Amino acid sequence: MGVDGIQAARVEGGRKLRVDEARVVLRLPAASAWCGPALVAIGLFFVLFGGADSDLRSADARIGLAASTALSPMGQVFGSWTPDVWPLRLAVSRLFFFAEEPGRPQSGTVLWPSAVAGMVAGWLVARRLIQAGKIRTSLLFGFAWFGSVALLDHSSSSGVDLVAGLATIAALDRLLAGASDWRTGVWASLAFLSGGWPPLLLLVVAILVLGRREADFSVGLIAPPLAACLAWLAWTVKVGSVAVAAAALAWPLTQSPDWTLGIEVALLTLPLSPFALLLLSPTLRGTIRENGTAMVFDWLQISAAAIVAGTIIPGLAIVCRTVALVGVLLAASAALEAAWSGVLSTRTRRWFLGTVLAVTAIWMALALYGGFIMTVALPYYRPLGIVFSILSLGVFAMVWRAVETHSARRSVAAMVLMTVCLKLIHWGYYTPEWNYRHGLGPWGRAIGQWLLPNWTLYTVHDWPEDLAWAIGSPVRQLHSPQHIEYPISDESRYALLLESELENWPANAPKLMKVATFADQDGRTRILARTAGVLYTHTGRVFGRVEPPK
């Protein structure tokens, strides 16, 4: 036997060269590694996708108008101070205002900061769950938070201030972690600069309700907001006056108490908020405590205190409404996670399936009507209506099968799919229909087409802020019709008037020439007029000359 034969014999006897016996081990990354990116993806889909498609309404339009002016300790709208727009909210919107394409103002100036703040606030709460090892609860909270009505809309007009709410939630999150330090104080100061003293009062209420030594008042917690308050006060007195600062601090007290705050929170946390009621079960509460998710009850305490304080204390409702969302949606997420894990008692399980059936019945009633309208009555929305109907039928089929097999996991999956359907209908149907039928954007853009860029439009009485924003030009309110000629120059000036105001225009005021006539959403006549003079472009070039009317 040669050398090659001997080596071949040794190989055959010592090794098995069989491919079918090889084992390939695929190691998946740890759950804590992919849970964070998954939450970001959920937030991008629910909140940022189509997040700036809606036209601004009154409260958001005030922020947008203030952001288009110079940075100041308070917003300025129609040339007057606006005490409900604070400097941090104004500064953030100005950053987005400069980032937008020059020309007509975009809704993203106001809506993008709210959307990003909502995403960050949800991430801060979910991060605590991830650190505690509650991956499934954090993912369910992501669907509940980002898929809620409040975050889908993310506008101040819905009664939720997510920018001030972000700073307040971040400060509360650190207090619950036992960190009453300088970082918590910085978050508290940011809350003051974005919402005034109501967020600070809510922090005081939360500290008293928690009653923990590690979450008590400290120098690091008190010094930053105190310094921010003194700096803002000095800035306001320098730019404005003591009366302006006093008016801003007293403005929340002029608001009426919000007696329906609890109902509003329940509606804003739909569609998954009904499952928070399952925590009325003592057995479920004990199970959640044993599983190490006690932070749910801490946030529930804060949310209950926020609802009570926002109901009875004037001016506290908007920040309390935002903070109360966290506790309700955390409770709903913990209940859904318990159902998925199969740790519900027999009675609680029945209540869970009953809640699923009730929510599905209401959803299917709305889906049948909405699907018919979109697929038959409004052909423009027919593709959306078909997709929406298929997904809604999928929700119904999953719930039906879950009831037949007593499967709680199928029920939870159906509820998650329902949040996706809600996002689809909000983006594809609700937002464009609101813009077209109820918003003042089309009317304002029609008026803005008659004005040169950055050309000031004068009014005699108050007009809606969302109309002024949609016009896209500075709007100034006159003390009297005679003031339209000041400062005296050869420029022609535009005025937006009611029909009666043009008919009764004073004889000693500069004469007006009618430019265009518009009909608002209620069919009432509005008139755009201008005085005699020269029209200058923003570069100083003479655009045209208007002779005085005879």
Side-chain angles (χ1 to χ4, degrees):
M1 181 182 294
V3 178
D4 295 339
I6 295 174
Q7 291 180 350
R10 290 179 178 176
V11 171
E12 292 177 358
R15 298 183 183 178
K16 292 183 179 180
L17 302 178
R18 293 178 57 89
V19 180
D20 55 345
E21 291 187 359
R23 294 182 180 180
V24 179
V25 179
L26 179 61
R27 295 186 179 275
L28 296 177
S32 57
W34 57 262
C35 184
L39 286 170
V40 173
I42 295 172
L44 290 175
F45 171 73
F46 281 99
V47 182
L48 294 189
F49 177 67
D53 292 346
S54 177
D55 285 339
L56 300 186
R57 283 166 276 181
S58 56
D60 299 288
R62 282 198 299 273
I63 300 174
L65 292 173
S68 61
T69 60
L71 183 63
S72 58
M74 280 185 297
Q76 299 184 50
V77 178
F78 300 153
S80 303
W81 294 107
T82 304
D84 59 336
V85 181
W86 284 73
L88 182 60
R89 186 69 176 90
L90 179 61
V92 174
S93 292
R94 279 189 66 81
L95 292 177
F96 281 84
F97 180 80
F98 290 124
E100 294 284 350
E101 183 179 355
R104 295 288 180 187
Q106 304 295 325
S107 300
T109 302
V110 180
L111 295 182
W112 284 131
S114 297
V116 174
M119 282 196 61
V120 176
W123 163 252
L124 289 176
V125 179
R127 184 190 60 173
R128 295 295 180 186
L129 294 172
I130 297 174
Q131 292 175 351
K134 304 303 176 183
I135 305 300
R136 192 180 299 116
T137 307
S138 65
L139 290 175
L140 290 172
F141 175 75
F143 280 103
W145 175 263
F146 298 127
S148 64
V149 174
L151 268 292
L152 291 179
D153 191 71
H154 59 263
S155 65
S156 300
S157 300
S158 62
V160 178
D161 187 354
L162 292 174
V163 175
L166 167 61
T168 309
I169 291 171
L172 291 172
D173 176 70
R174 291 191 58 81
L175 287 175
L176 291 177
S180 178
D181 53 6
W182 290 94
R183 290 185 180 181
T184 310
V186 171
W187 280 115
S189 62
L190 295 178
F192 169 78
L193 293 175
S194 57
W197 56 264
L200 299 182
L201 181 58
L202 179 57
L203 291 176
V204 173
V205 172
I207 292 174
L208 297 178
V209 169
L210 292 175
R212 298 178 180 177
R213 184 182 300 273
E214 64 274 11
D216 204 350
F217 298 99
S218 63
V219 176
L221 178 63
I222 298 175
L226 181 61
C229 181
L230 294 177
W232 173 85
L233 189 61
W235 186 18
T236 306
V237 172
K238 181 179 179 180
V239 175
S241 63
V242 177
V244 172
L249 294 175
W251 180 84
L253 299 176
T254 62
Q255 308 302 303
S256 58
D258 192 350
W259 302 110
T260 60
L261 181 59
I263 300 176
E264 295 168 4
V265 170
L267 294 177
L268 288 171
T269 50
L270 289 173
L272 299 183
S273 56
F275 296 98
L277 297 175
L278 296 177
L279 265 70
L280 294 175
S281 170
T283 306
L284 180 58
R285 293 200 301 270
T287 302
I288 293 176
R289 290 185 186 276
E290 293 174 359
N291 291 338
T293 323
M295 63 172 291
V296 174
F297 301 100
D298 296 334
W299 275 107
L300 273 178
Q301 286 183 333
I302 295 175
S303 298
I307 292 175
V308 173
T311 300
I312 62 178
I313 301 178
L316 213 63
I318 187 167
V319 65
C320 289
R321 190 181 294 111
T322 308
V323 172
L325 302 178
V326 180
V328 175
L329 293 177
L330 266 177
S333 304
L336 290 173
E337 196 278 335
W340 182 277
S341 301
V343 296
L344 296 178
S345 63
T346 303
R347 184 177 181 181
T348 309
R349 188 186 186 89
R350 291 173 182 172
W351 279 108
F352 170 74
L353 292 177
T355 305
V356 170
L357 285 175
V359 172
T360 306
I362 297 174
W363 177 261
M364 290 307 300
L366 297 175
L368 289 174
Y369 176 76
F372 174 80
I373 293 296
M374 287 186 290
T375 56
V376 178
L378 300 174
Y380 176 79
Y381 297 107
R382 184 167 297 160
L384 175 68
I386 294 173
V387 176
F388 173 69
S389 300
I390 293 174
L391 292 178
S392 297
L393 289 176
V395 172
F396 177 76
M398 293 177 67
V399 172
W400 183 273
R401 184 60 179 168
V403 174
E404 284 185 339
T405 59
H406 299 280
S407 174
R409 291 193 173 187
R410 285 194 178 96
S411 301
V412 174
M415 296 300 99
V416 171
L417 181 59
M418 185 184 298
T419 61
V420 177
C421 294
L422 182 61
K423 167 60 182 178
L424 180 67
I425 205 66
H426 181 274
W427 164 74
Y429 178 78
Y430 173 79
T431 298
E433 283 295 300
W434 172 269
N435 293 342
Y436 178 72
R437 299 183 183 275
H438 303 286
L440 298 182
W443 182 29
R445 287 186 285 270
I447 297 174
Q449 293 177 356
W450 292 85
L451 301 176
L452 293 174
N454 300 320
W455 199 263
T456 303
L457 179 64
Y458 294 91
T459 65
V460 178
H461 72 285
D462 288 335
W463 290 87
E465 293 90 348
D466 41 353
L467 173 65
W469 171 260
I471 290 175
S473 296
V475 179
R476 296 291 182 269
Q477 186 176 355
L478 299 171
H479 292 284
S480 66
Q482 290 80 4
H483 285 84
I484 196 173
E485 63 178 338
Y486 297 103
I488 298 177
S489 67
D490 60 345
E491 293 183 357
S492 176
R493 294 186 170 91
Y494 283 93
L496 182 62
L497 306 170
L498 302 173
E499 191 174 15
S500 58
E501 291 174 341
L502 182 62
E503 294 174 354
N504 298 284
W505 191 257
N508 58 348
K511 297 186 179 300
L512 297 178
M513 181 189 69
K514 183 186 295 186
V515 176
T517 302
F518 305 93
D520 63 7
Q521 68 273 23
D522 298 322
R524 295 170 296 187
T525 303
R526 303 292 184 260
I527 297 174
L528 180 66
R530 67 184 183 187
T531 62
V534 179
L535 297 177
Y536 292 98
T537 64
H538 63 282
T539 60
R541 184 174 62 87
V542 176
F543 183 79
R545 182 180 297 276
V546 181
E547 300 296 334
K550 297 180 181 180

